[in-house]
């Protein structure tokens, strides 16, 4: 049984664990296996053997790198992840998934400092429900023994024998998130402050052009409020509930700009 067949068996038996290490010398092979894992874990119409169908909306969004339940830790440090990188990542994966489950990915996890690894360890020991964590790296010896012992190890091989026919594009979410993330702070300030509605609408029209933009903005807004930014009390329960309701409305088909305008009015 190769790695992909093993992943298929996990999906088929609904027996995914909370954390996995994907190790291998070839970065392309690691990312390909991680992409396959993500697609299999989130596929809404898997084949009988547990492999992803490759055609459902979830598989298509995985391939394009736009799936709302895939969270990738981004690295701002030149050689290592910064604490702020891990804080943003851990806050996001602690939220409820939009669909059945959420998958968090840490590319080049051998660039995690011991401080961040210990933060990660606390999460692995008490994971959020329906969340799978994937650490992708070249050498797992860079991880603390305590982190390694709590993860299942998978080996990414240089050849792709056993790859599914729909394997093309499985690295999409890496490519989509390699680019610099948007700075949502001006729009957050416009929404959270005491500004006029027309100013918020103007800022929104300029910053948000798609449903994915709207969902990314709501994620950033919730993380900011949970961290105590803006004019509102840190972690204000009522405001965060309104954000979650707005997110749900968008996912259920409401026009994203309409939902955001309604959020502004409810908050003010």
């Amino acid at each position: 049984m190769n790695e992909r067949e093993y992943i298929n068996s996990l999906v088929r038996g609904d027996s995914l664990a909370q954390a996995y290490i994907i190790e291998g010398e070839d970065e392309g092979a690691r990312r390909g296996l991680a992409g396959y894992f993500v697609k299999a874990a989130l596929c809404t119409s898997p084949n009988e053997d547990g492999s992803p169908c490759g055609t459902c909306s979830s598989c298509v969004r995985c391939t394009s790198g736009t799936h709302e339940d895939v969270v990738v830790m981004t690295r701002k440090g030149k050689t290592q992840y910064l604490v702020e990188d891990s804080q943003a990542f851990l806050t996001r994966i602690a939220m409820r998934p939009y669909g059945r489950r959420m998958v968090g990915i840490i590319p080049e996890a051998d660039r995690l400092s011991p401080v961040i690894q210990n933060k990660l360890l606390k999460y692995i020991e008490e994971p959020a429900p329906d969340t799978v964590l994937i650490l992708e790296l070249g050498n797992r010896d860079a991880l603390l023994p305590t982190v390694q012992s709590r993860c299942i190890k998978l080996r990414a091989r240089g050849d792709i024998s056993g790859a599914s026919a729909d394997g093309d594009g499985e690295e999409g979410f890496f490519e989509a998130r390699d680019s610099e993330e948007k700075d949502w702070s001006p729009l957050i300030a416009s929404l959270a402050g005491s500004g006029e509605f027309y100013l918020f609408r103007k800022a929104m029209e300029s910053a948000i052009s798609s449903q994915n933009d709207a969902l990314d903005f709501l994620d950033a807004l919730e993380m900011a409020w949970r961290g105590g930014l803006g004019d509102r009390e840190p972690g204000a329960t009522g405001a965060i509930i309104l954000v979650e309701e707005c997110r749900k409305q968008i996912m259920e088909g409401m026009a994203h700009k309409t939902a955001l305008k309604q959020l502004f009015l409810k908050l003010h």
Side-chain angles (χ1 to χ4, degrees), residues 3 51 120 124 128 195 203 213 262:
E3 289 80 3
S51 61
L120 197 63
I124 294 174
D213 279 348
Q262 289 186 3

Side-chain angles (χ1 to χ4, degrees), residues 2 7 32 48 64 114 140 169 200 208 210 224 232 252 258:
N2 63 36
I7 292 169
E48 289 186 7
S64 64
R140 68 171 182 260
F200 168 72
I208 293 179
S210 67
R232 300 183 176 277
E252 290 178 347
T258 300

Side-chain angles (χ1 to χ4, degrees), residues 61 67-71 92 95-102 211-212 214-220 222 243-244 246-248 250-251:
R61 295 199 304 280
H67 200 296
E68 61 280 359
D69 281 332
V70 180
V71 184
R92 178 65 185 89
M95 300 176 189
R96 291 196 299 266
Y98 297 111
R100 181 182 180 187
R101 62 170 59 94
M102 184 181 298
Q211 183 187 85
N212 285 325
L215 294 174
D216 287 345
F217 166 66
L218 291 174
D219 290 343
E222 185 166 348
V243 172
E244 292 177 346
C246 181
R247 185 184 291 119
K248 182 178 179 182
I250 293 173
M251 293 303 298

Side-chain angles (χ1 to χ4, degrees), residues 87 91 188 192 219-237 239-240:
Q87 289 174 336
T91 298
I188 290 174
D219 290 343
L221 176 64
E222 185 166 348
M223 286 189 284
W225 281 351
R226 287 185 186 277
L229 301 179
D231 295 335
R232 300 183 176 277
E233 291 295 324
T237 303
I240 290 175

Side-chain angles (χ1 to χ4, degrees), residues 147-219:
V147 173
Q148 292 190 47
S149 66
R150 287 162 176 79
C151 300
I152 295 175
K153 288 82 174 176
L154 297 176
R155 184 73 181 172
R157 309 181 190 284
D159 63 83
I160 56 172
S161 57
S164 63
D166 63 320
D168 292 341
E170 284 167 1
E171 301 175 36
F173 58 87
F174 286 104
E175 296 168 358
R177 287 164 174 79
D178 279 343
S179 58
E180 185 176 349
E181 293 187 351
K182 284 189 177 181
D183 178 13
W184 296 111
S185 54
L187 191 57
I188 290 174
S190 178
L191 176 64
S194 55
E196 299 293 335
F197 174 71
Y198 80 93
L199 292 176
F200 168 72
R201 183 177 61 188
K202 183 178 179 180
M204 180 189 67
E205 293 289 345
S206 174
I208 293 179
S209 59
S210 67
Q211 183 187 85
N212 285 325
D213 279 348
L215 294 174
D216 287 345
F217 166 66
L218 291 174
D219 290 343

Side-chain angles (χ1 to χ4, degrees), residues 38 42 67-74 88-94 102-107 132-134 173 177 219:
V38 171
L42 298 177
H67 200 296
E68 61 280 359
D69 281 332
V70 180
V71 184
V72 182
M73 186 185 290
T74 55
F89 176 79
L90 291 173
T91 298
R92 178 65 185 89
I93 63 174
M102 184 181 298
V103 181
I105 307 166
I106 306 179
V132 178
L133 182 65
I134 298 174
F173 58 87
R177 287 164 174 79
D219 290 343

Side-chain angles (χ1 to χ4, degrees), residues 129-149:
D130 303 318
T131 300
V132 178
L133 182 65
I134 298 174
L135 287 74
E136 174 260 309
L137 42 66
N139 182 6
R140 68 171 182 260
D141 289 340
L143 298 177
L144 297 173
T146 47
V147 173
Q148 292 190 47
S149 66

